């Protein structure tokens, strides 16, 4: 169970006035979910760690599933989700960060987007996701990259206590008896980078900086297409994976 200090920290996070920033990021996260789930037709979908409901907003708007559910550790997040009045939202509730208050196999799909990097006992949470749904989508930021040692404080300030590569996340999920069905690496879109530079960081908005952001994205995207999966994973800022319960039984000795 999460401590009261952690819950308070996340309650304060969702009272900050950065709605536009969260919505911009959520649009791309929701697109990644839809992409890896293109062969599914889920009826009941639960988002765990739903934050302020930004991702659910887009899934609701795009008719991703007829029934949407949300769990979040922060009451302020739940309040914001309910304020959205999403017509497909069945319920939004708080939980303790680990124990999901639903029966086995309640859902067709569970979504965990940019949550696992914050979780102290990641395997405990993964087992709960697996208990309540056949399919699981997990997206994590790809923090582990060149120069990571110099950015430790940055990640810790954001509450990231775990780091993943696509390989390490695949291993973690498969070691928990999950079969990988589809995956996707993604780079941060230029409009998101520009928002962060010009709005969040208040840097001068000029032609040169805009051109640099656009060119960097296009060069990395093109090189990734030319050089294959490993290069795409190297350039990626996030990794999204769809899994299902494996028929194989996990044995731990």
């Amino acid at each position: 169970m999460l401590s009261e200090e952690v819950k308070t920290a996340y309650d304060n996070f969702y009272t900050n006035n950065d709605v536009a920033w969260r919505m911009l990021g959520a649009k791309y996260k929701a697109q990644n979910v839809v992409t890896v789930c293109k062969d599914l037709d889920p009826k009941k979908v639960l988002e765990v760690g739903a934050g302020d409901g930004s991702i659910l907003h887009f899934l609701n708007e795009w008719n991703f599933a007829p029934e949407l559910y949300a769990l979040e550790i922060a009451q302020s997040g739940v309040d914001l989700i309910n304020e959205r009045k999403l017509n497909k939202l069945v319920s939004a509730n708080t939980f303790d960060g680990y124990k999901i208050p639903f029966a086995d196999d309640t859902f067709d799909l569970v979504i965990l987007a940019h949550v696992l990097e914050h979780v102290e006992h990641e395997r405990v949470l993964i087992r709960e996701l697996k208990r309540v749904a056949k399919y699981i989508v997990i997206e994590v930021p790809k923090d582990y990259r060149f120069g990571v040692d110099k950015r430790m404080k940055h990640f810790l300030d954001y509450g990231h206590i775990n780091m993943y590569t696509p390989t390490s996340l695949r291993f973690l999920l498969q070691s928990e008896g999950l079969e990988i069905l589809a995956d996707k690496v993604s780079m941060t879109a230029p409009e998101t980078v520009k928002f962060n530079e010009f709005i969040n960081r208040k840097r001068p908005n000029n032609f040169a900086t805009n051109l640099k952001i656009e060119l960097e994205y296009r060069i990395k995207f093109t090189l990734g297409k030319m050089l294959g999966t490993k290069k795409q994973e190297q350039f990626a800022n996030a990794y999204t994976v769809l899994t299902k319960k494996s028929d194989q039984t996990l044995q731990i000795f």
Side-chain angles (χ1 to χ4, degrees):
M1 182 180 295
L2 292 175
S3 68
E4 287 303 319
E5 290 82 1
V6 172
K7 289 183 179 180
T8 299
Y10 280 98
D11 266 325
N12 292 336
F13 177 79
Y14 294 118
T15 59
N16 292 338
N17 188 25
D18 56 359
V19 175
W21 171 242
R22 292 201 295 268
M23 289 296 288
L24 181 58
K27 178 176 70 172
Y28 290 99
K29 294 170 188 174
Q31 287 176 354
N32 291 339
V33 170
V34 171
T35 298
V36 298
C37 293
K38 63 183 176 63
D39 294 327
L40 296 184
D41 184 25
K43 301 296 188 282
K44 297 179 68 172
V45 174
L46 168 68
E47 185 180 5
V48 174
D52 67 346
S54 300
I55 293 175
L56 289 173
H57 165 87
F58 291 104
L59 296 180
N60 184 84
E61 191 173 79
W62 301 339
N63 298 311
F64 180 69
E67 293 185 21
L68 300 174
Y69 298 75
L71 289 176
E72 167 57 38
I73 64 170
Q75 183 61 52
S76 61
V78 171
D79 292 341
L80 289 170
I81 294 170
N82 285 322
E83 287 174 11
R84 291 181 182 275
K85 301 190 183 304
L86 305 178
N87 67 312
K88 293 176 176 58
L89 182 68
V90 177
S91 68
N93 296 292
T94 57
F95 80 127
D96 69 3
Y98 291 102
K99 181 63 177 174
I100 297 177
F102 290 99
D104 295 0
D105 301 312
T106 297
F107 300 98
D108 302 305
L109 175 71
V110 172
I111 298 167
L112 192 78
H114 292 255
V115 173
L116 203 59
E117 64 272 17
H118 300 272
V119 177
E120 182 178 5
H121 306 293
E122 53 191 341
R123 290 181 181 271
V124 174
L125 180 57
I126 290 169
R127 290 167 192 172
E128 272 291 271
L129 304 181
K130 183 180 172 183
R131 179 182 66 79
V132 299
K134 180 178 180 180
Y135 296 98
I136 303 168
V137 170
I138 294 179
E139 180 170 300
V140 295
K142 213 201 96 193
D143 293 338
Y144 191 84
R145 58 176 62 229
F146 181 78
V148 68
D149 289 292
K150 296 180 179 179
R151 303 189 69 205
M152 292 294 188
K153 184 179 184 302
H154 168 80
F155 296 128
L156 291 171
D157 286 346
Y158 276 88
H160 293 195
I161 59 173
N162 302 310
M163 285 188 179
Y164 304 97
T165 65
T167 298
S168 69
L169 182 63
R170 288 192 291 264
F171 180 79
L172 171 64
L173 299 175
Q174 288 177 106
S175 73
E176 284 297 327
L178 292 167
E179 178 184 348
I180 294 170
L181 300 179
D183 64 350
K184 180 181 188 292
V185 292
S186 53
M187 295 187 298
T188 304
E191 70 167 324
T192 306
V193 177
K194 291 176 185 179
F195 191 105
N196 190 45
E197 285 292 301
F198 306 140
I199 306 300
N200 291 348
R201 304 175 75 176
K202 296 180 171 55
R203 292 186 173 176
N205 187 344
N206 54 53
F207 176 79
T209 305
N210 276 277
L211 182 62
K212 178 183 176 183
I213 291 169
E214 292 285 348
L215 284 177
E216 182 177 349
Y217 179 87
R218 292 179 187 182
I219 290 169
K220 287 182 176 179
F221 182 85
T222 302
L223 285 174
K225 283 289 186 182
M226 292 172 56
L227 300 177
T229 300
K230 290 303 177 185
K231 184 58 68 174
Q232 291 172 16
E233 291 184 353
Q234 178 186 334
F235 290 145
N237 298 104
Y239 180 60
T240 315
V241 59
L242 170 67
T243 71
K244 76 169 185 177
K245 296 180 184 180
S246 173
D247 294 331
Q248 297 180 354
T249 302
L250 178 66
Q251 296 183 0
I252 300 176
F253 298 94

